[in-house]
Amino acid sequence: GAGVSQSPRYKVAKRGQDVALRCDPISGHVSLFWYQQALGQGPEFLTYFQNEAQLDKSGLPSDRFFAERPEGSVSTLKIQRTQQEDSAVYLCASSSWTDQNSPLHFGNGTRLTVT
Amino acid sequence: ELKVEQNPLFLSMQEGKNYTIYCNYSTTSDRLYWYRQDPGKSLESLFVLLSNGAVKQEGRLMASLDTKARLSTLHITAAVHDLSATYFCAVDRVTQGGSEKLVFGKGTKLTVNP
């Protein structure tokens, strides 16, 4: 497809369950980002990949959060032992590293609700 | 630490009026972005501003960048209802190690009333 694709679109998890969120970036985009957006707030940075290398994971809120991009394309954000405070929309974005004028292209997000 | 502040956070305006949203950021940045977000939707890119004095316009929206003042503005001309949305400013920093981080403001929720 032409855009960033995320799945699932919605996820309901019981507290303590593990979840995995998938992001399929725009083909050829080197940079991939994960953001967390709480209701009524701006997106908060979680982590950044350049190809398969995770260059910045400073925004991951705890060691329950783990992200990977093993082949430099699809990425997965995993949250272990989910807590209610993890409820948010998780946005994935990709961009072309070589084009300075290129914005980050965001996917539609995964809305996670932890009950 | 890079911080981004937008004001106002809430803006209610009448159709046909003009208004400006302000975005201040705390440290030198490489790029500044404006995004639009409709309720329940993802972020739509509006503008990418790279250099001091950059000005870009699209329809009723115009964005400018003053890197010396660390200030960007998003000016709305003759607002129409369809512009109702939340507008985010975001600033990009690329480190020596090649890592990139886009830091967002809290957003300005714009409501345009008939």
Side-chain angles (χ1 to χ4, degrees), chain A residues 35 37 50 56 58 104 107, chain B residues 35 37 42 98-102:
Chain A
Y35 281 82
Q37 187 175 24
Q50 194 175 104
D56 190 338
S58 61
L104 269 64
Chain B
Y35 282 88
Q37 188 174 39
S42 191
S99 182
E100 199 176 345
K101 180 185 284 190
L102 197 61

Side-chain angles (χ1 to χ4, degrees), chain A residues 9 31 33 35 37 40-43 45 48 50 55-56 58 91 95 97 99-108 111, chain B residues 30-31 33 35 37 40-43 45 47-48 50 56 88 92 94-95 97-107:
Chain A
R9 187 79 174 87
S31 298
F33 304 75
Y35 281 82
Q37 187 175 24
Q41 301 295 315
F45 172 84
Y48 167 70
Q50 194 175 104
L55 297 188
D56 190 338
S58 61
L91 294 166
S95 73
W97 178 252
D99 182 358
Q100 288 286 305
N101 281 300
S102 174
L104 269 64
H105 298 269
F106 282 83
N108 286 325
R111 183 179 295 276
Chain B
D30 295 286
R31 283 174 288 193
Y33 304 80
Y35 282 88
Q37 188 174 39
K41 305 290 186 183
S42 191
L43 291 106
S45 174
F47 302 106
V48 181
L50 298 179
K56 291 190 175 180
F88 289 98
D92 196 0
V94 179
T95 69
S99 182
E100 199 176 345
K101 180 185 284 190
L102 197 61
V103 178
F104 282 81
K106 292 185 181 300

Side-chain angles (χ1 to χ4, degrees), chain B:
Chain B
E1 183 187 350
L2 178 56
K3 292 185 179 179
V4 180
E5 288 189 3
Q6 283 181 242
N7 72 83
L9 297 182
F10 298 92
L11 176 57
S12 180
M13 57 191 298
Q14 284 188 313
E15 281 190 328
K17 297 293 187 183
N18 304 332
Y19 209 84
T20 301
I21 299 171
Y22 297 89
C23 172
N24 289 91
Y25 53 98
S26 59
T27 65
T28 303
S29 77
D30 295 286
R31 283 174 288 193
L32 188 138
Y33 304 80
W34 284 96
Y35 282 88
R36 167 182 173 146
Q37 188 174 39
D38 291 286
K41 305 290 186 183
S42 191
L43 291 106
E44 173 193 351
S45 174
L46 296 174
F47 302 106
V48 181
L49 301 172
L50 298 179
S51 57
N52 189 44
V55 176
K56 291 190 175 180
Q57 183 162 5
E58 182 72 36
R60 300 174 188 274
L61 301 178
M62 183 173 71
S64 67
L65 178 61
D66 180 344
T67 58
K68 293 180 181 178
R70 295 178 187 157
L71 170 69
S72 179
T73 61
L74 181 67
H75 187 71
I76 303 156
T77 302
V80 293
H81 181 69
D82 285 353
L83 289 180
S84 297
T86 298
Y87 293 84
F88 289 98
C89 165
V91 176
D92 196 0
R93 192 106 188 261
V94 179
T95 69
Q96 281 189 334
S99 182
E100 199 176 345
K101 180 185 284 190
L102 197 61
V103 178
F104 282 81
K106 292 185 181 300
T108 297
K109 185 173 182 179
L110 171 66
T111 303
V112 181
N113 302 304

Side-chain angles (χ1 to χ4, degrees), chain A residues 65-97:
Chain A
F65 286 70
F66 172 77
E68 60 182 4
R69 194 186 184 196
E71 296 178 0
S73 178
V74 171
S75 177
T76 304
L77 176 66
K78 297 178 180 178
I79 309 172
Q80 297 177 323
R81 304 181 303 281
T82 52
Q83 304 294 316
Q84 282 193 318
E85 62 262 29
D86 300 335
S87 296
V89 175
Y90 290 86
L91 294 166
C92 176
S94 69
S95 73
S96 168
W97 178 252

Side-chain angles (χ1 to χ4, degrees), chain A residues 7-14 17-22 77 79 82 86-90 109-115:
Chain A
S7 62
R9 187 79 174 87
Y10 301 93
K11 177 70 180 176
V12 178
K14 290 187 178 177
Q17 279 185 333
D18 298 348
V19 298
L21 313 179
R22 176 187 167 106
L77 176 66
I79 309 172
T82 52
D86 300 335
S87 296
V89 175
Y90 290 86
T110 294
R111 183 179 295 276
L112 173 65
T113 303
V114 181
T115 60

